[in-house]
Amino acid sequence: MQIKLQFLGAARNVTGSRHLVEANGARILVDCGFYQERQFAERNWEPLAVPPNTIDAVLLTHAHLDHCGLLPKLVRDGFKGRIYCTAATAEIVQIILLDSAHIQEEDAKYKRKRHKREGRKGPYPEVPLYTAADAEACFPLFSKVKYRQSVDLGSDLETTFYDAGHVLGSSIIRVKVRHGGQERIILFSGDIGRPDRPIVCDPTVFDAADYVFIESTYGDRVHQGPEDTKKEIAEVINSTKKAGGKIIVPSFALERSQEVLYYINELLLEDAIPRLTVFLDSPMAASITKVFKHHPELFDEEMTEFMDRHESPFNFPGLKIVQSTKESKAINRIRGTIMVIAGSGMCTGGRVKHHLVNNITEPRNTIMFVGYQATGTLGRLIVEGKKEVRILGQQYPVRARIARINGFSAHADRDELFEWLTELKTPPKKLFVVHGEDKSAQHFGDYVRRKTGWDVIVPTYKDHVTLD
Ligand SMILES: [Zn+2]
């Protein structure tokens, strides 16, 4: 038995997940993610460590850009195999990749213009990393898999997907390698959700695996708890209503926007907040919400019960889906308390920037943050309490109330990750800690080693390991 692993991303950093498995003469790539951290952006442009046409299949854990965002490049560069993922993931990935291609095309255009004006050349080519046509070329390659149904990959390799409870359709992937009468199980955690979150199910646990990859986004942190997310949202809405202001919610299009709608609907049904108009001002979030509606089989018990009693948690009196830019601009002219949910989640682009420009200087308004704000983003500056911020090229004083709703994390914390691992009845031969900042990954690796004595590896970019 010989299995070779290569860590091609999310190794001592969070984004760009790509893990290469070589066994029985076949090559399988688990995830093909985009690097979102600025300092690693050049890795998006580098050729893959092995020629894409030598890869037999891609297994996709979920639809976040840092797990699927380099598929168009892989396919353009020669990959011809199948891309296995759940049906919900396949549907959401298409929306995400087209949006990403659009951003790449806009970026290249903008850079060309700017470099021409400044008479210089940038570090990367002034062409899009990939185009909408490159993204579309991936779509026929998707093979949809169901949770808990094994798929034969050929070469005595087999894979099974299990619910990861992170975002709709997200998976933990199990790969079985058979050779010379023996078999080995490799488990890829993907991103692991948290127990008891709305909409999606709790993460699946496992009692055996030979080799395990585990994410460590929050490997050095323990979430505060118990948080009462719904109560916090109600407080923001009620106090802003009293002040006569507006509520702007910078939000991620996948999962977070739907969770916010879910909570607001519940609060309305409980009469905990007054009726108000809520604008979902993100065409991408609206498209993704439609995918949620196609897949009620993926909802957890609470959500299924909710669906039995009420029509849809993503639809309530007062909810308005905004498509065109013209409609989006018209929101500014509305008086009185309204809520606007718009992307991007960290205020790095999208329509939320315009809503911030129009609302951040008014003390009656509230900017309500519901997601992680990475270092260096506009969102981070605002939550850190900057008195003045630059938006769309101009300085604005921050006078609106800044609220942060805790309890929205889609990632398990250190204790939850550890609990998930220790469901294994026998220690794995090796544990690989990936998908975490250096500090977080190392902390989690040390923690597991100290508590269990397991063989723990915290790989770095392009590391190889040969397993038996
Ligand atoms: Zn994710």
Side-chain angles (χ1 to χ4, degrees), residues 102-117:
H102 179 71
I103 294 171
Q104 302 301 326
E105 288 175 2
E106 289 295 308
D107 252 22
K109 223 194 285 174
Y110 173 74
K111 258 181 216 149
R112 252 198 317 272
K113 249 205 217 132
R114 200 182 62 202
H115 291 164
K116 200 172 163 197
R117 197 177 56 229

Side-chain angles (χ1 to χ4, degrees), residues 115-382:
H115 291 164
K116 200 172 163 197
R117 197 177 56 229
E118 294 168 0
R120 66 180 183 95
K121 277 218 167 307
Y124 317 121
E126 293 154 334
V127 292
L129 181 61
Y130 52 79
T131 63
D134 295 328
E136 277 163 5
C138 302
F139 303 167
L141 303 182
F142 284 108
S143 282
K144 295 171 186 175
V145 302
K146 287 205 165 78
Y147 286 139
R148 297 174 181 273
Q149 286 188 5
S150 302
V151 178
D152 184 4
L153 299 172
S155 309
D156 274 334
L157 300 176
E158 187 188 290
T159 187
T160 319
F161 287 53
Y162 300 86
D163 200 336
H166 170 62
V167 294
L168 195 79
S170 66
S171 308
I172 296 166
I173 297 178
R174 188 172 178 263
V175 174
K176 192 195 272 183
V177 182
R178 279 187 299 267
H179 188 85
Q182 289 193 314
E183 61 177 48
R184 296 284 182 270
I185 305 283
I186 315 172
L187 203 56
F188 295 88
S189 77
D191 290 0
I192 303 187
R194 311 185 57 198
D196 303 324
R197 284 179 56 241
I199 310 172
V200 291
C201 296
D202 290 353
T204 313
V205 293
F206 298 82
D207 55 14
D210 297 294
Y211 303 104
V212 178
F213 280 65
I214 188 152
E215 68 127 320
S216 57
T217 317
Y218 289 122
D220 62 346
R221 256 163 291 178
V222 178
H223 295 315
Q224 303 173 324
E227 301 118 343
D228 205 338
T229 311
K230 222 162 77 179
K231 236 185 185 160
E232 288 177 39
I233 296 174
E235 190 281 320
V236 167
I237 294 175
N238 288 321
S239 58
T240 313
K241 169 89 183 169
K242 216 167 152 194
K246 295 180 183 175
I247 305 153
I248 308 299
V249 186
S251 182
F252 303 95
L254 170 54
E255 207 74 24
R256 198 54 41 88
S257 294
Q258 292 79 22
E259 285 174 349
V260 173
L261 296 181
Y262 175 89
Y263 281 128
I264 290 172
N265 198 3
E266 279 205 332
L267 289 168
L268 283 168
L269 289 166
E270 291 163 9
D271 269 326
I273 53 168
R275 288 270 282 259
L276 81 163
T277 309
V278 175
F279 293 94
L280 181 61
D281 188 12
S282 159
M284 182 154 76
S287 309
I288 292 175
T289 306
K290 277 192 203 142
V291 180
F292 274 67
K293 290 178 184 170
H294 298 165
H295 292 284
E297 79 282 3
L298 299 178
F299 297 158
D300 66 2
E301 220 173 291
E302 254 183 312
M303 176 84 161
T304 311
E305 249 172 56
F306 188 101
M307 302 273 286
D308 288 344
R309 275 181 288 129
H310 314 281
E311 196 201 324
S312 160
F314 307 126
N315 206 359
F316 47 81
L319 174 65
K320 295 212 162 31
I321 310 285
V322 182
Q323 289 292 349
S324 69
T325 326
K326 202 174 142 203
E327 287 172 275
S328 174
K329 283 183 180 156
I331 297 173
N332 278 327
R333 295 195 292 272
I334 300 170
R335 296 282 151 254
T337 300
I338 54 164
M339 178 184 274
V340 184
I341 305 168
S344 69
M346 298 190 233
C347 311
T348 49
R351 292 181 181 175
V352 79
K353 285 193 154 185
H354 297 275
H355 294 300
L356 288 175
V357 164
N358 289 307
N359 293 286
I360 204 164
T361 59
E362 172 55 57
R364 281 180 301 185
N365 298 337
T366 304
I367 316 296
M368 183 173 96
F369 285 91
V370 292
Y372 180 72
Q373 304 298 316
T375 324
T377 60
L378 174 58
R380 179 72 164 250
L381 296 176
I382 299 173

